[in-house]
Amino acid sequence: MTELTQTAEGIEPTGPVQADPAITFADLDLHETILAAIRDAGYTSPTPIQREAIPLARKGRDIMGLAQTGTGKTAAFTLPIIDRLIGGPKRTRCLILTPTRELCVQVEESFRRYAAHADISCVAVYGGVPLDPQEKKLRAGVDVVVATPGRLIDHLERQNVVFDDLEVLVLDEADRMLDMGFAPQINNVVSQIPVYRQTLLFSATMPPEVEALARKYLRKPVVVQVGVRSSAASTVTHAVYPVPREKKNALLVHLLTSKVHDSVLIFSRTKHGADRIVRDLEKAGVTATAMHADKSQPQRTKALQDFKDGKISVLVATDIAQRGLDVSGITHVVNYDVPQQAEDYVHRIGRTGRAAKEGDAYTFMAPDEIGMVRTIERVIGQPIPRISVPGYDFGTVAAD
Ligand code: AMP
């Protein structure tokens, strides 16, 4: 039992996830039957939590995943588990604990979907329904049990299932489980699981109680964090302006000249785009500076310093120049082009609204960028409100 109470001194945050559009599911080295299921699901590339967590989970590491629903976290733990179980002995080797019956059913459905071409059985065990059918399935032998804590304990007491051969434990939505008062039940269940196992803990938030749980049950976990940090999300207002591409400039000029802005960071996909935005803004009487890879390092450093010092209030940067940029106190971020990677969006809006200041993040969405905005919304787990400028016609974007 000593291992169970070992503290998690080895916690090592991986830092911000860097976008790497080149990574595909095939690069994650998953079993061919899993790749087939992913193709069936229509996924084209892994989400940030999947890119980060899957290789670590496959190495057998314990993971503390800070991610909300909508980030693709279920596949982030399900896929490496299926990969591990394929072709192995037929025993109950994995347990996933979830706070609610709804999540329990959802996780089980995901498991079935991703394991559709593999010979792996999975059963959902939750309260509010008769014990018998669950008991029959458990006694017949299953590879994976997805369960809510209370009902699982009923089954453990009846010895409908034993966890002597368990290899992987997942605590999904750990913060909610603790909120719902499941700590004693979790303790009870974990005490019946071998100490030498892999433990994956997912939580949308990291209050001290979750940290304590992680210290108790995880061994040298790697912390993987994606999504909107709650501190930023609570103070950032973000919105999407549907606008035809050719009207983007008019919209930008309108926004910058109609509202008071202390500091505005504008992101453009390309260097030429950034230069053109600067030229167009200057024509409209707005002083702006471009920062991108064609500028020398001293020029870039000076632009950033001037921006920080408040000497220039509008900085136009490319995606590349964004990396490693530490600019606090920005009042507005404008995505002139929709970011190609959802986590770039998260990082950018995280730059506003720091230190409880109100911040605004606007994204200009042309018709061909609707799909990317939808992906971002799925990854951050929340819809982004659409807004228009009252009294101005910047055109419409159909079929959003
Ligand atoms: P989750 O955060 O696990 O609740 O997943 C949120 C939604 O994203 C689910 O509907 C998944 O089917 C979907 N999803 C998960 N991974 C991907 C991916 N790589 N590409 C597209 N959609 C995904």
Side-chain angles (χ1 to χ4, degrees), residues 90-391:
K90 285 296 190 192
R91 299 185 199 119
T92 303
R93 295 166 67 197
C94 171
L95 168 67
I96 301 167
L97 282 181
T98 67
T100 62
R101 165 187 173 155
E102 289 73 28
L103 186 63
C104 183
V105 170
Q106 248 177 56
V107 170
E108 192 238 10
E109 281 170 359
S110 299
F111 226 105
R112 283 185 189 282
R113 179 146 64 129
Y114 302 136
H117 306 291
D119 175 27
I120 289 170
S121 56
C122 179
V123 64
V125 159
Y126 48 85
V129 293
L131 274 163
D132 288 0
Q134 295 175 355
E135 176 170 336
K136 279 205 189 80
K137 287 184 195 161
L138 288 173
R139 286 191 171 263
V142 283
D143 298 305
V144 180
V145 176
V146 188
T148 52
R151 175 55 66 97
L152 179 62
I153 287 174
D154 288 346
H155 286 296
L156 284 166
E157 282 170 356
R158 286 159 203 253
Q159 298 192 317
N160 293 337
V161 62
V162 284
F163 291 140
D164 292 353
D165 298 311
L166 207 91
E167 295 171 26
V168 188
L169 168 68
V170 180
L171 301 169
D172 195 13
E173 300 201 354
D175 47 356
R176 269 176 91 192
M177 283 204 276
L178 294 181
D179 281 349
M180 292 169 74
F182 281 137
Q185 285 89 338
I186 297 172
N187 280 327
N188 179 338
V189 171
V190 177
S191 72
Q192 303 189 44
I193 296 174
V195 166
Y196 291 102
R197 59 165 193 265
Q198 182 177 26
T199 308
L200 311 174
L201 184 153
F202 286 83
S203 191
T205 58
M206 182 72 160
E209 298 78 32
V210 173
E211 207 168 329
L213 194 76
R215 284 185 185 280
K216 196 166 170 190
Y217 295 139
L218 274 61
R219 299 169 65 190
K220 295 196 184 303
V222 186
V223 179
V224 177
Q225 182 171 6
V226 301
V228 186
R229 291 174 323 136
S230 52
S231 59
S234 58
T235 53
V236 173
T237 323
H238 52 149
V240 163
Y241 283 94
V243 58
R245 190 166 289 285
E246 66 278 9
K247 296 278 181 78
K248 283 190 173 186
N249 188 53
L251 175 61
L252 181 66
V253 170
H254 171 80
L255 289 176
L256 292 186
T257 51
S258 62
K259 289 191 190 184
V260 178
H261 298 100
D262 294 340
S263 58
V264 187
L265 186 53
I266 299 166
F267 287 105
S268 156
R269 189 154 52 227
T270 63
K271 291 179 285 195
H272 297 301
D275 286 334
R276 194 180 36 73
I277 292 168
V278 168
R279 276 199 310 275
D280 289 343
L281 285 177
E282 306 252 323
K283 262 190 236 156
V286 179
T287 309
T289 305
M291 190 174 77
H292 53 62
D294 277 0
K295 305 275 179 187
S296 67
Q297 192 56 49
Q299 278 174 323
R300 281 196 259 174
T301 310
K302 180 165 187 316
L304 190 57
Q305 195 54 50
D306 286 353
F307 187 60
K308 280 183 171 177
D309 293 346
K311 288 184 193 154
I312 49 174
S313 60
V314 180
L315 188 65
V316 187
T318 55
D319 295 6
I320 302 300
Q322 163 215 353
R323 305 243 184 268
L325 205 73
D326 177 25
V327 186
S328 45
I330 295 173
T331 56
H332 293 79
V333 164
V334 176
N335 290 310
Y336 194 92
D337 300 302
V338 175
Q340 296 296 291
Q341 292 295 316
E343 63 266 44
D344 283 351
Y345 182 85
V346 173
H347 288 166
R348 288 176 198 180
I349 73 160
R351 299 198 186 292
T352 69
R354 293 254 168 99
K357 273 175 115 181
E358 281 294 319
D360 285 321
Y362 300 137
T363 298
F364 293 1
M365 178 183 72
D368 61 338
E369 294 174 312
I370 293 172
M372 196 55 223
V373 168
R374 293 220 179 104
T375 302
I376 292 168
E377 292 177 317
R378 198 173 55 234
V379 169
I380 67 174
Q382 60 186 86
I384 310 170
R386 308 290 191 264
I387 49 174
S388 57
V389 185

Side-chain angles (χ1 to χ4, degrees), residues 20-30 35 38 44-46 51 54:
D20 188 350
I23 292 190
T24 64
F25 278 106
D27 295 328
L28 297 176
D29 207 18
L30 294 163
L35 294 179
I38 289 167
T44 48
S45 56
R51 281 204 289 269
I54 291 173

